[in-house]
Amino acid sequence: ERLRKGSWTSPLPSPHLQCSAEPEGLDLDYEWLLDMVDVDNAASRFDRVVDMDAAHGVHIEGARHFLTEQLYSYPGSLPRALTLSERERVLRVLQPTATFEMLNRIPAELVEAKSQEGQKLRRKLLAGATIVFFTAGYAGKRFIYERAMQLGVKSVIIEHPDSWAKSLVDEGIIAKFIPIDMSQDADAVFQQSLDAIRALGQDPLTLDADACVTFCELSVPVVARLCEVLGLPGHRPEAVDKARDKHRTRAEMRQAGLPTPKNMLITAPEQLPEAEQTVGFPAVIKPISGAASLGVKKVSSSEELRHGYAEVVAELSKLVVTSGALAQDDGSGKGIRAEKAMDCTILLEQYLDGGEVDVDVVMSGGEWRYAAVTDNGPTLEPYFNETWAVCPSLLPSKQQKELKDLAVETLKCLGFTEGVFHVECKYTSHGPQLIEVNARMGGGQVHETNERVWGVDLVEETLFAAAGIPCRPFIATKDPPGGGVAYCDINAEVSGTLQNLDFLVSLQQQEGIVWAKPYVKAGTKVVGPQDGLPTWIAEIVVQRRSAKEALAYLHKIQAEIKPEIH
């Protein structure tokens, strides 16, 4: 047991959770090793605090909202990354976390063992840790905090005061909710979050934070900087900045000798002719930072480029930022409209043919420890909405290896060494090519898919990495234990009003359906591809004995579903 830990424990029994089985107890040998650890239960890591004026960013004139600032003028007023000497100074002054104190007493070969016993030991090390989650994400991410509670984590969520996540305290799922006004600029949000995390050491419920983490794309840069100043494990801000900026990602890849498509940044309409000359057609317009294919469009001529550029800029200005993520405006009034913060930085990139894949990677100790390929079906062009996905991949093993190698080498060239990543690639007629790197666990169905197919819990691995615990995901067999999983998003095929969701009711009763959930309510006005970015209506996940069976079953369902839109 860790000796310096907060007093909070969840009043809820673990079995009520719909997630992986509760970890079994450790062997006596492992218990003895952990019981050896002797730490000071009273002292806070932050009895001595390092404040560096040089770490602060430049204040941006005018009122700026934190999330829109991260989306459109990234990194905005966030602090710059610390230099190597500044990082060393922080680590010299601060005490090690309670987790590191235990790790230092345990032989590396035990805690790094890629076995069921090794995974039990890593879970034991995580139990009792205080972990800060910066921004909670949308309500669909609730399973993350349930899983953390089941693992014995004392979760602290920093979010806007009206977040859905504040109710998790009363429900006994998290230890503490810290409200911070996210309508402030990034510098203010950063500083208030920093102060709040330091103050946890004086709260007997939590005591000092062992880790700070996020599962939200727009919050990744903030967490990297918080971890750096707090002396906690985390991504280097420079690596995050390179990954968030698609143009910088390409430049780093080119320098490392990795395949890179032709591309050019466009900051104003006057640059369109030069971009056309540099990149050629067909090409893809995309914002340099973003998520979920929003603001991405294929163009095949000068005229399409001019119209497409204007359309994408207008489209982005109508999006909203909510719970740390970029989303379509559903008309509910929730979220922050981005139009006033919009700049016109767009990347024009050579169009890549071939099928798209996701590579979910776990890095630890500078090397990959898990990499699973999921095939994506053809996207709905010109907007690149996803149609379906299946795991494990049905591609030849040689192509899967090439895709994994590209994903891992890209992460290394950007400077990443630890953590869970969602890397999007394509296998083109000229070999593997990168689409983008997300320095976090993938959203949507990614967690469920990896856990069902391979038995790997990416939430658990994310928390290990955040606390500085080595990641060695344990897979019992070479073949996928869970067979195959396929999923799809149902897109609106025409514009109009969604009349009902009756098509989901019968699906939910069928064998092999993991879930069939709506994204929108009946009566919602939806957009078809002929009028703009198609509206996502629902998501469906199925599981069968193999990937081929799962995909065939999903295609059958897709062919039968016809949402009623008038």
Side-chain angles (χ1 to χ4, degrees):
E1 296 290 338
R2 65 178 65 223
L3 299 183
R4 193 174 73 237
K5 63 180 181 180
S7 60
W8 183 86
T9 56
S10 173
L12 300 177
S14 294
H16 87 287
L17 298 175
Q18 295 182 349
C19 45
S20 21
E22 187 172 4
E24 300 175 11
L26 292 174
D27 290 346
L28 290 178
D29 287 346
Y30 290 140
E31 293 280 11
W32 177 80
L33 281 165
L34 291 167
D35 288 341
M36 287 171 53
V37 181
D38 182 19
V39 296
D40 181 355
N41 192 40
S44 168
R45 292 184 69 232
F46 300 113
D47 286 345
R48 296 177 64 189
V49 173
V50 181
D51 281 315
M52 297 180 182
D53 293 337
H56 292 283
V58 178
H59 180 70
I60 296 177
E61 292 299 326
R64 301 301 296 266
H65 185 287
F66 158 66
L67 293 176
T68 53
E69 188 177 312
Q70 291 309 292
L71 179 61
Y72 294 120
S73 58
Y74 172 79
S77 57
L78 278 179
R80 65 161 177 79
L82 299 183
T83 64
L84 182 59
S85 61
E86 288 169 341
R87 285 173 63 90
E88 290 176 350
R89 180 183 168 197
V90 169
L91 295 174
R92 280 199 306 270
V93 171
L94 296 177
Q95 298 178 32
T97 65
T99 302
F100 271 118
E101 288 173 330
M102 291 192 292
L103 279 168
N104 288 337
R105 303 293 186 92
I106 300 175
E109 62 268 22
L110 293 182
V111 77
E112 294 176 5
K114 193 172 183 179
S115 64
Q116 189 172 16
E117 297 305 318
Q119 197 74 351
K120 289 179 183 178
L121 177 56
R122 290 185 284 274
R123 288 170 177 161
K124 182 66 176 176
L125 285 165
L126 185 68
T130 294
I131 297 183
V132 177
F133 296 82
F134 180 80
T135 64
Y138 54 88
K141 292 184 184 289
R142 175 191 173 99
F143 72 91
I144 293 170
Y145 311 107
E146 291 180 336
R147 181 59 179 146
M149 185 270 283
Q150 187 186 30
L151 289 166
V153 169
K154 303 177 194 306
S155 299
V156 177
I157 293 179
I158 295 177
E159 250 291 8
H160 198 70
D162 64 356
S163 169
W164 65 272
K166 64 182 178 182
S167 65
L168 297 180
V169 175
D170 292 337
E171 294 181 55
I173 294 173
I174 67 173
K176 191 169 185 175
F177 179 85
I178 300 176
I180 289 184
D181 183 1
M182 297 291 173
S183 67
Q184 306 172 92
D185 67 19
D187 182 57
V189 170
F190 175 85
Q191 191 58 53
Q192 290 170 28
S193 300
L194 183 62
D195 293 342
I197 295 171
R198 284 173 171 163
L200 290 175
Q202 307 305 319
D203 186 339
L205 284 178
T206 60
L207 295 185
D208 287 322
D210 291 84
C212 180
V213 72
T214 189
F215 289 81
C216 305
E217 179 65 24
L218 297 184
S219 299
V220 173
V222 184
V223 169
R225 287 161 168 82
L226 286 170
C227 289
E228 186 174 59
V229 174
L230 292 166
L232 295 174
H235 301 318
R236 292 292 300 269
E238 297 96 328
V240 170
D241 293 350
K242 291 173 185 176
R244 289 275 297 140
D245 185 329
K246 295 178 177 65
H247 186 64
R248 290 186 67 186
T249 300
R250 302 301 190 201
E252 292 293 323
M253 292 180 68
R254 189 180 302 110
Q255 187 174 350
L258 298 173
T260 308
K262 292 181 288 186
N263 62 86
M264 178 179 164
L265 279 182
I266 304 172
T267 58
E270 293 76 22
Q271 294 177 298
L272 292 177
E274 181 186 355
E276 175 184 337
Q277 187 70 27
T278 302
V279 178
F281 295 114
V284 178
I285 300 171
K286 58 176 71 174
I288 60 170
S289 61
S293 300
L294 297 173
V296 179
K297 187 174 185 181
K298 180 182 177 182
V299 292
S300 300
S301 66
S302 300
E303 184 178 1
E304 287 187 11
L305 175 58
R306 288 194 300 273
H307 288 297
Y309 175 80
E311 180 183 337
V312 167
V313 170
E315 178 186 301
L316 286 173
S317 68
K318 294 176 183 176
L319 297 174
V320 296
V321 185
T322 178
S323 298
L326 180 63
Q328 293 173 310
D329 189 352
D330 60 6
S332 65
K334 296 180 180 179
I336 304 299
R337 294 191 67 86
E339 53 193 353
K340 293 184 180 180
M342 180 67 193
D343 74 19
C344 296
T345 305
I346 301 292
L347 183 69
L348 184 69
E349 186 170 84
Q350 174 187 353
Y351 173 75
L352 301 174
D353 62 2
E356 186 172 328
V357 304
D358 298 330
V359 186
D360 293 297
V361 182
V362 177
M363 295 276 288
S364 185
E367 297 296 337
W368 70 278
R369 308 296 175 175
Y370 171 82
V373 179
T374 298
D375 296 341
N376 291 338
T379 52
L380 287 179
E381 296 183 358
Y383 297 100
F384 296 93
N385 266 28
E386 296 177 358
T387 52
W388 55 260
V390 63
C391 182
S393 172
L394 296 173
L395 292 173
S397 57
K398 178 178 180 295
Q399 292 185 10
Q400 290 190 51
K401 183 180 184 305
E402 291 179 61
L403 288 161
K404 290 179 182 179
D405 288 346
L406 177 63
V408 171
E409 291 306 313
T410 299
L411 292 173
K412 288 183 177 180
C413 86
L414 294 176
F416 291 111
T417 59
E418 317 280 339
V420 174
F421 304 87
H422 186 68
V423 184
E424 299 175 22
C425 302
K426 270 191 171 186
Y427 199 92
T428 74
S429 54
H430 301 288
Q433 291 275 0
L434 177 85
I435 298 175
E436 66 180 26
V437 170
N438 300 285
R440 55 168 173 82
M441 184 186 82
Q445 305 90 345
V446 168
H447 173 267
E448 189 77 15
T449 298
N450 282 271
E451 186 166 36
R452 283 181 174 271
V453 173
W454 295 107
V456 173
D457 183 350
L458 295 180
V459 170
E460 181 176 76
E461 300 301 330
T462 297
L463 299 183
F464 286 161
I469 299 170
C471 296
R472 299 293 188 275
F474 173 68
I475 302 175
T477 63
K478 184 178 179 180
D479 295 323
V485 167
Y487 57 86
C488 69
D489 290 327
I490 303 300
N491 294 277
E493 296 183 359
V494 296
S495 298
T497 301
L498 179 65
Q499 300 300 303
N500 56 65
L501 293 166
D502 295 347
F503 67 95
L504 291 179
V505 177
S506 59
L507 272 182
Q508 292 165 347
Q509 310 303 319
Q510 293 184 24
E511 183 182 358
I513 298 290
V514 176
W515 70 58
K517 301 177 182 178
Y519 285 132
V520 297
K521 297 178 180 179
T524 300
K525 291 185 178 181
V526 298
V527 177
Q530 68 276 14
D531 296 317
L533 181 68
T535 302
W536 303 307
I537 294 176
E539 64 170 334
I540 298 169
V541 181
V542 306
Q543 186 170 15
R544 281 290 195 254
R545 291 176 299 178
S546 70
K548 286 184 179 180
E549 287 185 29
L551 186 58
Y553 184 41
L554 183 72
H555 284 334
K556 178 177 179 293
I557 292 171
Q558 285 180 299
E560 296 171 351
I561 287 179
K562 297 295 179 186
E564 189 178 351
I565 300 172
H566 298 311

